[in-house]
Short mmCIF file of all heavy atoms in Angstrom, two decimals:
data_model
loop_
_atom_site.label_atom_id
_atom_site.label_comp_id
_atom_site.label_asym_id
_atom_site.label_seq_id
_atom_site.Cartn_x
_atom_site.Cartn_y
_atom_site.Cartn_z
N GLU I 1 0.83 -1.21 0.00
CA GLU I 1 0.00 0.00 0.00
C GLU I 1 0.86 1.26 0.00
O GLU I 1 0.63 2.19 -0.79
CB GLU I 1 -0.92 -0.01 1.23
CG GLU I 1 -1.80 1.22 1.33
CD GLU I 1 -2.69 1.20 2.56
OE1 GLU I 1 -2.67 0.18 3.29
OE2 GLU I 1 -3.40 2.20 2.81
N ARG I 2 1.87 1.30 0.84
CA ARG I 2 2.67 2.51 0.97
C ARG I 2 3.54 2.75 -0.26
O ARG I 2 3.68 3.89 -0.72
CB ARG I 2 3.53 2.42 2.23
CG ARG I 2 2.73 2.51 3.52
CD ARG I 2 3.63 2.73 4.70
NE ARG I 2 4.41 3.97 4.55
CZ ARG I 2 5.38 4.35 5.37
NH1 ARG I 2 5.68 3.58 6.42
NH2 ARG I 2 6.04 5.47 5.17
N LEU I 3 4.15 1.70 -0.79
CA LEU I 3 4.99 1.88 -1.96
C LEU I 3 4.17 2.38 -3.15
O LEU I 3 4.60 3.26 -3.89
CB LEU I 3 5.71 0.58 -2.31
CG LEU I 3 6.78 0.13 -1.32
CD1 LEU I 3 7.30 -1.26 -1.69
CD2 LEU I 3 7.94 1.12 -1.26
N ALA I 4 2.98 1.82 -3.32
CA ALA I 4 2.12 2.25 -4.42
C ALA I 4 1.66 3.70 -4.25
O ALA I 4 1.59 4.46 -5.23
CB ALA I 4 0.91 1.33 -4.54
N ALA I 5 1.38 4.10 -3.02
CA ALA I 5 0.82 5.43 -2.77
C ALA I 5 1.88 6.51 -2.63
O ALA I 5 1.63 7.67 -2.97
CB ALA I 5 -0.04 5.39 -1.50
N GLU I 6 3.06 6.16 -2.14
CA GLU I 6 4.03 7.17 -1.74
C GLU I 6 5.26 7.27 -2.63
O GLU I 6 6.05 8.21 -2.48
CB GLU I 6 4.49 6.91 -0.30
CG GLU I 6 3.36 6.94 0.72
CD GLU I 6 3.83 6.60 2.13
OE1 GLU I 6 5.00 6.88 2.44
OE2 GLU I 6 3.03 6.04 2.90
N VAL I 7 5.47 6.31 -3.54
CA VAL I 7 6.68 6.31 -4.37
C VAL I 7 6.26 6.36 -5.85
O VAL I 7 5.96 5.31 -6.44
CB VAL I 7 7.55 5.08 -4.09
CG1 VAL I 7 8.85 5.16 -4.90
CG2 VAL I 7 7.85 4.95 -2.61
N PRO I 8 6.24 7.54 -6.45
CA PRO I 8 5.89 7.63 -7.87
C PRO I 8 6.85 6.83 -8.74
O PRO I 8 8.05 6.73 -8.45
CB PRO I 8 6.01 9.14 -8.16
CG PRO I 8 5.88 9.79 -6.83
CD PRO I 8 6.49 8.85 -5.84
N GLY I 9 6.32 6.24 -9.81
CA GLY I 9 7.16 5.53 -10.76
C GLY I 9 7.49 4.10 -10.37
O GLY I 9 8.26 3.44 -11.08
N ILE I 10 6.91 3.62 -9.27
CA ILE I 10 7.22 2.25 -8.85
C ILE I 10 6.30 1.25 -9.56
O ILE I 10 5.14 1.55 -9.85
CB ILE I 10 7.10 2.10 -7.32
CG1 ILE I 10 7.90 0.88 -6.84
CG2 ILE I 10 5.64 2.01 -6.87
CD1 ILE I 10 8.15 0.87 -5.34
N ARG I 11 6.84 0.09 -9.88
CA ARG I 11 6.06 -1.01 -10.43
C ARG I 11 6.22 -2.20 -9.52
O ARG I 11 7.33 -2.66 -9.27
CB ARG I 11 6.54 -1.37 -11.85
CG ARG I 11 5.78 -2.55 -12.46
CD ARG I 11 6.41 -2.98 -13.78
NE ARG I 11 5.75 -4.18 -14.31
CZ ARG I 11 6.23 -4.91 -15.33
NH1 ARG I 11 7.35 -4.54 -15.96
NH2 ARG I 11 5.58 -5.99 -15.74
N LEU I 12 5.11 -2.68 -9.00
CA LEU I 12 5.11 -3.79 -8.05
C LEU I 12 4.77 -5.10 -8.76
O LEU I 12 3.95 -5.12 -9.68
CB LEU I 12 4.10 -3.53 -6.93
CG LEU I 12 4.37 -2.29 -6.07
CD1 LEU I 12 3.16 -1.97 -5.21
CD2 LEU I 12 5.61 -2.50 -5.20
N PHE I 13 5.40 -6.18 -8.30
CA PHE I 13 5.16 -7.49 -8.88
C PHE I 13 4.55 -8.42 -7.82
O PHE I 13 4.73 -8.22 -6.63
CB PHE I 13 6.47 -8.09 -9.40
CG PHE I 13 7.11 -7.28 -10.50
CD1 PHE I 13 8.03 -6.29 -10.20
CD2 PHE I 13 6.77 -7.49 -11.82
CE1 PHE I 13 8.63 -5.53 -11.19
CE2 PHE I 13 7.36 -6.74 -12.84
CZ PHE I 13 8.29 -5.75 -12.52
N GLY I 14 3.86 -9.45 -8.30
CA GLY I 14 3.23 -10.39 -7.37
C GLY I 14 1.76 -10.09 -7.21
O GLY I 14 1.25 -9.08 -7.71
N PRO I 15 1.04 -10.97 -6.50
CA PRO I 15 -0.40 -10.78 -6.35
C PRO I 15 -0.73 -9.41 -5.76
O PRO I 15 -0.17 -9.01 -4.74
CB PRO I 15 -0.80 -11.91 -5.38
CG PRO I 15 0.25 -12.95 -5.58
CD PRO I 15 1.52 -12.20 -5.84
N PRO I 16 -1.64 -8.66 -6.40
CA PRO I 16 -1.98 -7.32 -5.89
C PRO I 16 -2.87 -7.42 -4.66
O PRO I 16 -3.45 -8.48 -4.37
CB PRO I 16 -2.74 -6.71 -7.07
CG PRO I 16 -3.34 -7.88 -7.78
CD PRO I 16 -2.35 -8.99 -7.64
N PRO I 17 -2.99 -6.33 -3.90
CA PRO I 17 -3.89 -6.33 -2.74
C PRO I 17 -5.30 -6.75 -3.15
O PRO I 17 -5.82 -6.33 -4.18
CB PRO I 17 -3.85 -4.87 -2.28
CG PRO I 17 -2.51 -4.37 -2.72
CD PRO I 17 -2.25 -5.05 -4.04
N GLY I 18 -5.90 -7.60 -2.33
CA GLY I 18 -7.24 -8.09 -2.61
C GLY I 18 -7.29 -9.33 -3.47
O GLY I 18 -8.36 -9.93 -3.64
N ASP I 19 -6.15 -9.76 -4.02
CA ASP I 19 -6.14 -10.97 -4.83
C ASP I 19 -6.38 -12.18 -3.93
O ASP I 19 -5.90 -12.23 -2.79
CB ASP I 19 -4.78 -11.11 -5.52
CG ASP I 19 -4.81 -12.13 -6.64
OD1 ASP I 19 -4.66 -13.34 -6.35
OD2 ASP I 19 -4.97 -11.73 -7.80
N PRO I 20 -7.13 -13.18 -4.41
CA PRO I 20 -7.37 -14.36 -3.57
C PRO I 20 -6.10 -15.17 -3.28
O PRO I 20 -6.06 -15.93 -2.31
CB PRO I 20 -8.37 -15.18 -4.39
CG PRO I 20 -8.27 -14.66 -5.78
CD PRO I 20 -7.89 -13.22 -5.66
N THR I 21 -5.06 -15.02 -4.09
CA THR I 21 -3.78 -15.69 -3.81
C THR I 21 -2.97 -14.84 -2.85
O THR I 21 -2.68 -13.68 -3.15
CB THR I 21 -2.99 -15.92 -5.10
OG1 THR I 21 -3.74 -16.76 -5.98
CG2 THR I 21 -1.65 -16.57 -4.80
N PRO I 22 -2.59 -15.36 -1.69
CA PRO I 22 -1.86 -14.55 -0.71
C PRO I 22 -0.50 -14.08 -1.24
O PRO I 22 0.19 -14.81 -1.96
CB PRO I 22 -1.68 -15.51 0.48
CG PRO I 22 -2.75 -16.53 0.32
CD PRO I 22 -2.91 -16.70 -1.15
N HIS I 23 -0.16 -12.86 -0.85
CA HIS I 23 1.16 -12.28 -1.16
C HIS I 23 1.93 -12.27 0.16
O HIS I 23 1.56 -11.58 1.11
CB HIS I 23 0.99 -10.86 -1.70
CG HIS I 23 2.24 -10.28 -2.28
ND1 HIS I 23 2.23 -9.45 -3.38
CD2 HIS I 23 3.55 -10.41 -1.93
CE1 HIS I 23 3.48 -9.09 -3.67
NE2 HIS I 23 4.29 -9.65 -2.79
N VAL I 24 3.02 -13.02 0.22
CA VAL I 24 3.69 -13.30 1.49
C VAL I 24 5.19 -13.01 1.39
O VAL I 24 5.82 -13.32 0.38
CB VAL I 24 3.49 -14.79 1.88
CG1 VAL I 24 4.22 -15.13 3.18
CG2 VAL I 24 2.00 -15.11 2.01
N GLY I 25 5.73 -12.40 2.42
CA GLY I 25 7.17 -12.39 2.64
C GLY I 25 7.99 -11.39 1.87
O GLY I 25 8.87 -10.75 2.44
N VAL I 26 7.78 -11.27 0.56
CA VAL I 26 8.65 -10.45 -0.27
C VAL I 26 7.82 -9.49 -1.12
O VAL I 26 6.70 -9.80 -1.52
CB VAL I 26 9.56 -11.30 -1.18
CG1 VAL I 26 10.31 -12.36 -0.38
CG2 VAL I 26 8.79 -11.96 -2.30
N VAL I 27 8.43 -8.33 -1.40
CA VAL I 27 7.84 -7.35 -2.31
C VAL I 27 8.90 -7.01 -3.34
O VAL I 27 9.93 -6.40 -3.01
CB VAL I 27 7.38 -6.09 -1.56
CG1 VAL I 27 6.88 -5.04 -2.55
CG2 VAL I 27 6.28 -6.42 -0.55
N SER I 28 8.66 -7.39 -4.59
CA SER I 28 9.59 -7.11 -5.68
C SER I 28 9.08 -5.93 -6.49
O SER I 28 7.86 -5.78 -6.71
CB SER I 28 9.73 -8.33 -6.60
OG SER I 28 10.46 -9.36 -5.96
N PHE I 29 10.01 -5.09 -6.97
CA PHE I 29 9.59 -3.88 -7.66
C PHE I 29 10.70 -3.36 -8.56
O PHE I 29 11.88 -3.72 -8.42
CB PHE I 29 9.18 -2.80 -6.66
CG PHE I 29 10.25 -2.44 -5.65
CD1 PHE I 29 11.16 -1.41 -5.89
CD2 PHE I 29 10.36 -3.15 -4.46
CE1 PHE I 29 12.14 -1.09 -4.96
CE2 PHE I 29 11.34 -2.83 -3.52
CZ PHE I 29 12.24 -1.80 -3.77
N THR I 30 10.32 -2.50 -9.49
CA THR I 30 11.25 -1.65 -10.22
C THR I 30 10.84 -0.22 -9.98
O THR I 30 9.69 0.06 -9.61
CB THR I 30 11.26 -1.97 -11.73
OG1 THR I 30 9.92 -1.85 -12.24
CG2 THR I 30 11.78 -3.37 -11.99
N LEU I 31 11.77 0.72 -10.21
CA LEU I 31 11.51 2.14 -9.96
C LEU I 31 12.01 2.96 -11.13
O LEU I 31 13.23 2.98 -11.40
CB LEU I 31 12.18 2.58 -8.66
CG LEU I 31 11.96 4.04 -8.24
CD1 LEU I 31 10.47 4.32 -8.05
CD2 LEU I 31 12.72 4.34 -6.96
N GLU I 32 11.06 3.62 -11.80
CA GLU I 32 11.38 4.42 -12.97
C GLU I 32 12.26 3.59 -13.91
O GLU I 32 12.02 2.40 -14.10
CB GLU I 32 12.05 5.73 -12.55
CG GLU I 32 11.25 6.57 -11.55
CD GLU I 32 10.03 7.24 -12.13
OE1 GLU I 32 9.70 7.05 -13.32
OE2 GLU I 32 9.34 7.98 -11.37
N ASP I 33 13.32 4.20 -14.46
CA ASP I 33 14.26 3.44 -15.28
C ASP I 33 15.58 3.24 -14.56
O ASP I 33 16.62 3.01 -15.19
CB ASP I 33 14.48 4.13 -16.63
CG ASP I 33 15.09 5.52 -16.50
OD1 ASP I 33 15.25 6.00 -15.35
OD2 ASP I 33 15.41 6.13 -17.54
N ILE I 34 15.56 3.29 -13.22
CA ILE I 34 16.75 3.07 -12.41
C ILE I 34 17.03 1.57 -12.38
O ILE I 34 16.15 0.79 -12.01
CB ILE I 34 16.56 3.61 -10.99
CG1 ILE I 34 16.12 5.08 -11.01
CG2 ILE I 34 17.84 3.44 -10.18
CD1 ILE I 34 15.72 5.61 -9.64
N HIS I 35 18.23 1.16 -12.74
CA HIS I 35 18.54 -0.26 -12.70
C HIS I 35 18.47 -0.74 -11.25
O HIS I 35 18.95 -0.05 -10.33
CB HIS I 35 19.93 -0.54 -13.27
CG HIS I 35 20.17 -1.98 -13.55
ND1 HIS I 35 20.45 -2.91 -12.56
CD2 HIS I 35 20.16 -2.69 -14.73
CE1 HIS I 35 20.59 -4.11 -13.10
NE2 HIS I 35 20.43 -4.00 -14.42
N PRO I 36 17.91 -1.90 -11.00
CA PRO I 36 17.81 -2.39 -9.62
C PRO I 36 19.14 -2.45 -8.88
O PRO I 36 19.17 -2.22 -7.67
CB PRO I 36 17.19 -3.79 -9.80
CG PRO I 36 16.36 -3.66 -11.03
CD PRO I 36 17.16 -2.76 -11.94
N HIS I 37 20.23 -2.74 -9.58
CA HIS I 37 21.52 -2.76 -8.90
C HIS I 37 21.91 -1.37 -8.40
O HIS I 37 22.43 -1.21 -7.28
CB HIS I 37 22.60 -3.30 -9.84
CG HIS I 37 22.47 -4.76 -10.12
ND1 HIS I 37 23.13 -5.38 -11.15
CD2 HIS I 37 21.75 -5.73 -9.51
CE1 HIS I 37 22.83 -6.67 -11.18
NE2 HIS I 37 21.99 -6.90 -10.19
N ASP I 38 21.66 -0.34 -9.24
CA ASP I 38 21.92 1.03 -8.80
C ASP I 38 21.02 1.39 -7.62
O ASP I 38 21.45 2.05 -6.66
CB ASP I 38 21.70 2.01 -9.95
CG ASP I 38 22.69 1.81 -11.09
OD1 ASP I 38 23.82 1.38 -10.80
OD2 ASP I 38 22.32 2.07 -12.24
N LEU I 39 19.78 0.97 -7.71
CA LEU I 39 18.82 1.27 -6.65
C LEU I 39 19.25 0.66 -5.33
O LEU I 39 19.25 1.32 -4.28
CB LEU I 39 17.44 0.74 -7.06
CG LEU I 39 16.25 1.12 -6.20
CD1 LEU I 39 16.07 2.64 -6.17
CD2 LEU I 39 14.99 0.45 -6.73
N ALA I 40 19.68 -0.60 -5.37
CA ALA I 40 20.12 -1.27 -4.14
C ALA I 40 21.36 -0.61 -3.56
O ALA I 40 21.52 -0.52 -2.34
CB ALA I 40 20.39 -2.75 -4.42
N THR I 41 22.24 -0.13 -4.43
CA THR I 41 23.46 0.55 -3.95
C THR I 41 23.10 1.85 -3.25
O THR I 41 23.65 2.17 -2.17
CB THR I 41 24.40 0.83 -5.13
OG1 THR I 41 24.76 -0.41 -5.75
CG2 THR I 41 25.66 1.54 -4.67
N ILE I 42 22.18 2.60 -3.81
CA ILE I 42 21.80 3.88 -3.22
C ILE I 42 21.12 3.67 -1.87
O ILE I 42 21.45 4.34 -0.88
CB ILE I 42 20.88 4.66 -4.18
CG1 ILE I 42 21.66 5.06 -5.44
CG2 ILE I 42 20.30 5.90 -3.49
CD1 ILE I 42 20.79 5.57 -6.56
N VAL I 43 20.17 2.75 -1.80
CA VAL I 43 19.46 2.57 -0.54
C VAL I 43 20.37 1.98 0.52
O VAL I 43 20.18 2.21 1.72
CB VAL I 43 18.16 1.74 -0.71
CG1 VAL I 43 17.21 2.40 -1.69
CG2 VAL I 43 18.45 0.32 -1.12
N ASP I 44 21.40 1.22 0.09
CA ASP I 44 22.38 0.72 1.06
C ASP I 44 23.11 1.87 1.73
O ASP I 44 23.39 1.83 2.94
CB ASP I 44 23.37 -0.20 0.37
CG ASP I 44 24.45 -0.72 1.32
OD1 ASP I 44 24.10 -1.39 2.30
OD2 ASP I 44 25.63 -0.42 1.09
N HIS I 45 23.41 2.93 0.98
CA HIS I 45 24.05 4.11 1.57
C HIS I 45 23.13 4.79 2.58
O HIS I 45 23.60 5.55 3.44
CB HIS I 45 24.46 5.09 0.48
CG HIS I 45 25.68 4.68 -0.28
ND1 HIS I 45 26.94 4.65 0.27
CD2 HIS I 45 25.83 4.26 -1.56
CE1 HIS I 45 27.81 4.24 -0.62
NE2 HIS I 45 27.17 3.98 -1.74
N GLU I 46 21.84 4.51 2.49
CA GLU I 46 20.88 5.03 3.45
C GLU I 46 20.64 4.06 4.60
O GLU I 46 19.74 4.27 5.42
CB GLU I 46 19.54 5.33 2.74
CG GLU I 46 19.65 6.35 1.62
CD GLU I 46 20.15 7.70 2.12
OE1 GLU I 46 19.57 8.22 3.10
OE2 GLU I 46 21.13 8.22 1.53
N GLY I 47 21.42 2.98 4.65
CA GLY I 47 21.32 2.02 5.75
C GLY I 47 20.30 0.93 5.54
O GLY I 47 20.01 0.16 6.47
#
């Protein structure tokens, strides 16, 4: 809910909220055209 509402340009993968198939444990996503490796490096600098 928060990633969809608060982070523009995010694309979420996996069963969406309300889907009868449970979404458990992990949330996978892409953000704008930022490569996921670059994204992980930046957020690591944020702890």
Side-chain angles (χ1 to χ4, degrees):
E1 179 180 356
R2 291 193 58 187
L3 291 173
E6 300 177 29
V7 184
I10 201 164
R11 178 187 175 192
L12 298 168
F13 298 91
D19 194 277
T21 299
H23 191 144
V24 178
V26 308
V27 175
S28 289
F29 57 92
T30 56
L31 182 59
E32 305 288 3
D33 62 355
I34 306 171
H35 194 283
H37 290 165
D38 295 330
L39 189 60
T41 300
I42 294 168
V43 301
D44 178 61
H45 284 292
E46 300 299 309

